[in-house]
Amino acid sequence: MSSISAIDFVFQNAIPQTAFGIFMIGIVLGFDGFAYGWTIRFFRANVGQRPNPSMIRATFFFILCTQLLALTQLASIVIWAAAILLVGVTPDWFTSIRLSASSYTTLGDFPSSMPGGWHLTPAFMAFSGLFSFAWASSSIISMLNSLNKFLDAENKSTD
């Protein structure tokens, strides 16, 4: 029986994990981009183009759209959970959700208990979570800019 060199180990395990991780980051960010773009358009359509501006209505839609962004984050966690369950990283749905949720914004405590060859997967989940949260934050800033312009216009119209 021959021993496996470090180079063989890296190529046997790191390359498939990296390919899977990058593919999944693309899936998650594609989903997020569509959802964030739709949410911003929905917000602007319901706030900025009304003939009778209302601060209560604008604030309501800002809160609603912020919650939609949060639901998008939860859906992204579910996408990761489904993917790792399908490829056999985890044995059941509950473990998949726990791993995805704990790794989406940080490197969770699961890597030591994961099957061999999948120890890099939580890092890719964390990358996608960080990118997704940054994008969601910039979406919120964009909606706040729209809200501020709307409220400034409302204040000028009441003066």
Side-chain angles (χ1 to χ4, degrees), residues 77-89:
I77 291 170
V78 170
I79 291 170
W80 269 109
I84 62 174
L85 183 63
L86 285 173
V87 298
V89 174

Side-chain angles (χ1 to χ4, degrees), residues 31 46 53 119:
F31 171 77
N46 285 288
H119 294 279

Side-chain angles (χ1 to χ4, degrees), residues 18-76:
T18 301
F20 174 75
I22 290 173
F23 174 76
M24 286 306 301
I25 287 173
I27 296 292
V28 168
L29 291 180
F31 171 77
D32 289 349
F34 176 78
Y36 298 159
W38 180 87
T39 302
I40 290 171
R41 279 194 294 282
F42 175 74
F43 176 76
R44 289 180 181 160
N46 285 288
V47 171
Q49 300 173 357
R50 292 285 167 197
N52 298 327
S54 164
M55 183 158 63
I56 293 172
R57 178 185 174 90
T59 304
F60 169 78
F61 275 102
F62 177 76
I63 292 168
L64 176 67
C65 289
T66 301
Q67 291 172 335
L68 289 173
L69 294 175
L71 288 173
T72 301
Q73 296 296 323
L74 292 175
S76 296

Side-chain angles (χ1 to χ4, degrees), residues 39-151:
T39 302
I40 290 171
R41 279 194 294 282
F42 175 74
F43 176 76
R44 289 180 181 160
N46 285 288
V47 171
Q49 300 173 357
R50 292 285 167 197
N52 298 327
S54 164
M55 183 158 63
I56 293 172
R57 178 185 174 90
T59 304
F60 169 78
F61 275 102
F62 177 76
I63 292 168
L64 176 67
C65 289
T66 301
Q67 291 172 335
L68 289 173
L69 294 175
L71 288 173
T72 301
Q73 296 296 323
L74 292 175
S76 296
I77 291 170
V78 170
I79 291 170
W80 269 109
I84 62 174
L85 183 63
L86 285 173
V87 298
V89 174
T90 56
D92 56 53
W93 184 248
F94 181 72
T95 305
S96 279
I97 289 289
R98 284 185 58 216
L99 172 61
S100 297
S102 73
S103 298
Y104 194 66
T105 57
T106 63
L107 293 175
D109 60 350
F110 279 87
S112 62
S113 63
M114 293 180 66
W118 292 102
H119 294 279
L120 290 177
T121 303
F124 286 105
M125 287 182 203
F127 293 156
S128 73
L130 292 171
F131 296 149
S132 295
F133 276 104
W135 199 348
S137 297
S138 70
S139 297
I140 290 172
I141 290 169
S142 175
M143 289 189 303
L144 276 174
N145 286 334
S146 297
L147 180 62
N148 287 335
K149 287 178 187 175
F150 175 77
L151 294 176

